[in-house]
Amino acid sequence: MTITNGTIESLIDVTGLNAPLSPRTIITIQIWLTHTWNADLIIRLYGPDGSYITLSNRRGGSFDNVFDGTLFTDSASNSVVTYLYSNNNVASPLRPEDPLSNFRGKYPNGKWKLWIQDTISASDGKLYGVILNIQGIFFLFFFENPYLFQFQY
């Protein structure tokens, strides 16, 4: 999925979980996103109920490809806000701007959405893959080959 001065969305459908996420639920998301000038990007994760958290709001400075394999987790020692980015070095793991734990207490069934907005047209990027992990449930999507799809739980 290519990003050039616009918005892309990647949907992940979760089914079969019939209770709200417990107070001990651990949620992580890993993304493979190449992009020049990462400070152009706003990256959010939406839950099925439409609520969202911001993973990164214009972070990464003028550096290239800093989120190409980044694991966002509440337990990371480095924050996306204060991390010292450098060119072509993946920043991982990172604590997102808003805690992933904000989804606790909500029902996980439905469409989760990774939403990425490129706010400046002078640079571009590509989303290659996303892993959303909820309480040991594992969803894997890669986009380089549109026919490759894996779903495990």
Side-chain angles (χ1 to χ4, degrees):
M1 300 179 134
T2 301
I3 310 165
T4 305
N5 192 30
T7 302
I8 65 164
E9 298 176 351
S10 175
L11 298 177
I12 301 169
D13 197 18
V14 174
T15 60
L17 302 174
N18 298 319
L21 298 176
S22 79
R24 290 180 285 194
T25 297
I26 297 172
I27 302 169
T28 64
I29 186 165
Q30 189 167 13
I31 63 172
W32 285 265
L33 172 65
T34 59
H35 194 277
T36 56
W37 207 282
N38 283 268
D40 295 350
L41 301 176
I42 301 169
I43 307 170
R44 295 180 180 157
L45 177 63
Y46 284 80
D49 66 350
S51 65
Y52 70 88
I53 61 135
T54 301
L55 298 170
S56 175
N57 186 1
R58 301 177 188 214
R59 306 294 176 182
S62 62
F63 302 113
D64 298 350
N65 307 320
V66 298
F67 299 123
D68 190 18
T70 300
L71 174 68
F72 289 96
T73 176
D74 290 346
S75 64
S77 58
N78 291 312
S79 168
V80 69
V81 175
T82 58
Y83 187 81
L84 298 176
Y85 298 93
S86 61
N87 206 41
N88 290 310
N89 287 310
V90 177
S92 188
L94 290 176
R95 240 181 7 266
E97 302 230 6
D98 300 320
L100 289 153
S101 61
N102 285 354
F103 292 115
R104 291 175 178 165
K106 299 181 180 193
Y107 284 87
N109 285 341
K111 296 201 183 304
W112 290 73
K113 176 172 57 178
L114 178 68
W115 179 91
I116 303 170
Q117 181 181 36
D118 185 350
T119 61
I120 305 293
S121 63
S123 57
D124 63 358
K126 192 168 189 178
L127 178 65
Y128 287 96
V130 177
I131 295 174
L132 174 64
N133 187 327
I134 303 171
Q135 235 177 14
I137 297 169
F138 186 81
F139 300 92
L140 175 62
F141 295 87
F142 280 94
F143 301 106
E144 187 170 13
N145 179 346
Y147 302 104
L148 174 63
F149 174 77
Q150 292 181 343
F151 177 81
Q152 299 174 333
Y153 59 94

